[in-house]
């Protein structure tokens, strides 16, 4: 097979050397496969605003929600690899959905080129403040003494909250009852009323409840404490080892996007995440700034896909 030289490779991806050097020469579209105003959407816009300052072009968000993030992710995966259509996607479409759906209209590892991971939102175990457990160990004991009596709420089967709860059950030998809702707004009143008093939620979903005293945070499913919850232990610190679950946010491009473009975008992403103002805004939104380079993200996607495939199989969720 004849190897392509640098100029030939650029031509094959639709970019001439001068174009790659001058990139971006016009606004860049970034597909976000979730609704506008969602936590991932807000955090992405914070990042892109800073990247636009570095690169001198607007980064325009195009929200394409639906099918657990698959619609927007597929649209980006099949876009032209010219650097002017990018994707912000998360752990669902990039890892867990491969086991949750019979067929995906894209292959996360073959149809996309990672730029980098820029933030993570660990799941937080919260319980209605009126219930007895004051620690994670007490929650586990309480759940074991009341099998299937503790209801936990999520935004649907296969959601981050659902998988986190199922993972928790596997590790602790507890039996909980899943109550799926259409959205967090519908779940919140039932949590406050004590009908569904348990949650494995992303912090933006329950930060208001924690501040009001309606929710008691027991642990975060992360290897480090969250900046926004410095007094809340990690699951490991609270006695539950190997329990890590988070929605992570990553920037990607269609496969075969030129490496010079990927490198430029990755550099701008790092500059953005290292900006103290950006980091503060991330924390304010319940996210932890975290950078992985393209190779690191590829390896992480592979690991997470395998991890959640095993958990989903044990749960017994039938692919949709």
């Amino acid at each position: 097979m004849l190897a392509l030289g640098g100029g030939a490779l650029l031509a094959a991806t639709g970019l001439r050397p001068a174009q790659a050097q001058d990139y971006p020469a016009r606004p860049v579209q970034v597909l976000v496969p979730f609704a506008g105003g969602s936590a991932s959407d807000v955090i992405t816009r914070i990042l892109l605003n800073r990247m636009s300052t570095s690169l001198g072009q607007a980064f325009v968000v195009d929200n394409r929600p639906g099918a657990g993030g698959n619609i927007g992710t597929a649209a980006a995966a099949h876009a032209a690899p010219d650097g002017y259509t990018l994707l912000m996607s998360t752990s669902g479409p990039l890892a867990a959905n491969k086991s949750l759906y019979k067929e995906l209209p894209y292959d996360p590892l073959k149809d996309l080129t990672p730029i980098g991971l820029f933030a993570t939102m660990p799941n937080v175990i919260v319980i209605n403040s009126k219930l007895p457990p004051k620690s994670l160990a007490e929650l586990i004991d309480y759940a074991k003494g009341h099998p299937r009596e503790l209801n936990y709420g999520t935004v649907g089967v296969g959601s981050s909250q659902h998988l986190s709860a199922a993972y928790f059950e596997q590790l602790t030998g507890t039996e909980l009852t899943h109550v799926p809702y259409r959205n967090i707004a519908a779940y919140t009143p039932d949590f406050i009323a004590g009908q569904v008093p348990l949650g494995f939620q992303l912090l933006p979903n329950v930060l208001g409840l924690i501040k009001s005293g309606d929710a008691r945070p027991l642990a975060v499913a992360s290897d480090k404490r969250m900046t926004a919850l410095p007094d809340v232990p990690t699951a490991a610190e609270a006695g539950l080892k190997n329990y890590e679950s988070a929605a992570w946010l990553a920037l990607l491009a269609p496969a075969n996007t030129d490496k010079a473009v990927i490198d430029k975008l990755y550099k701008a992403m790092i500059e953005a995440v290292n900006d103290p103002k950006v980091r503060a805004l991330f924390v304010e939104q319940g996210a932890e700034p975290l950078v992985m380079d393209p190779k690191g993200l590829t390896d992480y996607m592979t690991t997470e896909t395998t991890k959640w495939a095993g958990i989903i199989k044990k749960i017994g969720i039938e692919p949709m």
Side-chain angles (χ1 to χ4, degrees):
M1 182 180 290
L2 182 64
L4 289 175
L9 180 59
L10 287 167
T13 58
L15 285 174
R16 295 190 300 274
Q19 289 177 309
Q21 185 178 352
D22 295 339
Y23 174 87
R26 63 178 191 270
V28 177
Q29 178 188 42
V30 181
L31 300 184
V32 173
F34 304 103
S38 62
S40 55
D41 173 75
V42 171
I43 294 162
T44 300
R45 290 172 188 268
I46 293 169
L47 176 86
L48 296 178
N49 283 342
R50 179 62 175 78
M51 287 180 64
S52 122
T53 300
S54 295
L55 294 174
Q57 285 290 345
F59 283 72
V60 182
V61 170
D62 181 357
N63 295 98
R64 303 273 187 96
N70 291 340
I71 292 175
T73 301
H78 301 308
D82 58 7
Y84 290 98
T85 299
L86 305 179
L87 169 71
M88 188 298 299
S89 200
T90 67
S91 42
L94 298 178
N97 284 6
K98 195 158 189 180
S99 297
L100 291 171
Y101 291 82
K102 291 179 182 177
E103 291 185 16
L104 288 183
Y106 60 93
D107 185 315
L109 293 171
K110 292 181 180 178
D111 297 334
L112 294 165
T113 298
I115 296 167
L117 185 148
F118 60 89
T120 182
M121 291 189 289
N123 290 86
V124 182
I125 302 174
V126 294
I127 193 165
N128 184 295
S129 296
K130 296 185 178 71
L131 265 68
K134 299 289 194 298
S135 68
L136 187 60
E138 290 181 9
L139 171 65
I140 294 169
D141 288 342
Y142 185 88
K144 288 182 176 179
H146 300 78
R148 294 180 296 279
E149 292 181 20
L150 266 180
N151 298 332
Y152 69 91
T154 76
V155 293
V157 173
S159 63
S160 169
Q161 301 101 315
H162 181 209
L163 297 181
S164 297
Y167 190 25
F168 177 84
E169 289 178 282
Q170 288 180 27
L171 291 177
T172 60
T174 55
E175 294 180 273
L176 309 172
T177 296
H178 179 207
V179 182
Y181 288 82
R182 292 181 62 186
N183 52 50
I184 285 297
Y187 158 74
T188 302
D190 286 350
F191 177 90
I192 294 173
Q195 296 172 7
V196 187
L198 182 60
F200 297 79
Q201 295 289 344
L202 303 179
L203 184 56
N205 296 340
V206 291
L207 186 56
L209 295 174
I210 293 171
K211 288 181 176 179
S212 69
D214 290 304
R216 179 185 299 126
L218 301 180
V220 295
S222 172
D223 62 344
K224 296 179 181 178
R225 293 195 182 199
M226 293 188 69
T227 308
L229 297 175
D231 297 327
V232 179
T234 66
E237 289 174 332
L240 182 59
K241 306 296 183 184
N242 301 317
Y243 180 65
E244 294 182 18
S245 175
W248 37 269
L249 284 64
L251 204 58
L252 307 98
N256 300 317
T257 299
D258 181 65
K259 186 178 182 302
V261 170
I262 298 297
D263 290 346
K264 261 194 176 183
L265 290 166
Y266 176 63
K267 181 181 177 183
M269 188 192 81
I270 291 177
E271 290 176 0
V273 177
N274 286 338
D275 186 324
K277 292 181 181 178
V278 170
R279 298 179 73 86
L281 289 171
F282 276 17
V283 170
E284 187 179 297
Q285 293 298 323
E288 292 292 307
L290 177 66
V291 169
M292 282 187 192
D293 64 18
K295 184 182 184 308
L297 177 54
T298 299
D299 294 343
Y300 190 54
M301 286 168 61
T302 302
T303 301
E304 285 280 280
T305 299
T306 302
K307 168 185 170 180
W308 290 112
I311 293 169
I312 289 165
K313 183 176 180 180
K314 287 182 180 179
I315 299 169
I317 297 178
E318 290 295 326
M320 293 177 270

